Amino acid sequence: MNDERMQVLQMVASGQVTAEEGGFLLAALDHDGAAAAGGDAVVAQGKPRYLRVMVTEHGEHGKKVNVRVPIQLLRAGVKLGTMLPDQAKDKVNDALRQKGAAFDISGLKAEDLDMLLEHLDDLTVDVEGEKSSTVRFSVER
């Protein structure tokens, strides 16, 4: 273990930073080390563990939502989706189409989730409307 990682762990142990902040620091060290070695940071960091979704509402009384979803929960949802009866899948697909999302959940597989997570990483979407907001997706390893 290198000195920088040990220093971060000591900061967590002494209460100088929270465990979550320490995790971010360790991830940053992993990312910097992979970049310095010329490697791919995503490969060096391993499999995704969390999907973070942050919503910031713009305006005078802007609100912020910060949700961290375990990837295992998403994987379980994909597996549960395969067990839905066809009639239920049809109802879900109809509801999605009514919301403007032409998506068929009966074809969703675990590999699709991995590909989706890969493309979601560092995605930012600006939502315009009565109250504009920004939605940012990131994957934590």
Side-chain angles (χ1 to χ4, degrees):
M1 182 178 305
N2 67 26
D3 291 335
E4 293 169 329
R5 293 180 65 78
M6 186 59 107
Q7 192 173 18
V8 170
L9 293 174
Q10 288 173 344
M11 290 169 62
V12 172
S14 68
Q16 289 177 287
V17 297
T18 66
E20 185 175 22
E21 291 167 335
F24 285 124
L25 291 170
L26 290 172
L29 287 173
D30 288 345
H31 183 274
D32 290 343
D40 185 1
V42 173
V43 172
Q45 293 179 11
K47 287 190 170 193
R49 295 182 55 203
Y50 298 97
L51 173 65
R52 183 165 305 267
V53 181
M54 295 190 325
V55 180
T56 306
E57 189 177 276
H58 306 291
E60 186 178 328
H61 300 289
K63 297 177 186 172
K64 189 170 186 176
V65 176
N66 188 348
V67 180
R68 186 176 175 199
V69 182
I71 299 297
Q72 287 300 97
L73 182 62
L74 298 176
R75 290 190 194 291
V78 169
K79 288 178 185 175
L80 285 175
T82 62
M83 296 188 300
L84 286 175
D86 289 338
Q87 187 178 22
K89 289 178 187 177
D90 292 341
K91 287 185 179 186
V92 171
N93 288 333
D94 288 342
L96 287 169
R97 273 191 290 280
Q98 287 176 3
K99 297 285 184 181
F103 187 78
D104 183 3
I105 65 162
S106 60
L108 187 61
K109 297 178 226 134
E111 305 87 57
D112 298 332
L113 180 61
D114 292 333
M115 183 179 66
L116 176 66
L117 290 170
E118 185 178 308
H119 293 312
L120 271 181
D121 196 17
D122 290 328
L123 172 71
T124 300
V125 178
D126 291 320
V127 181
E128 300 297 325
E130 189 176 314
K131 294 182 179 181
S132 63
S133 58
T134 300
V135 182
R136 182 170 183 269
F137 299 90
S138 61
V139 176
E140 297 176 11
R141 291 165 172 37

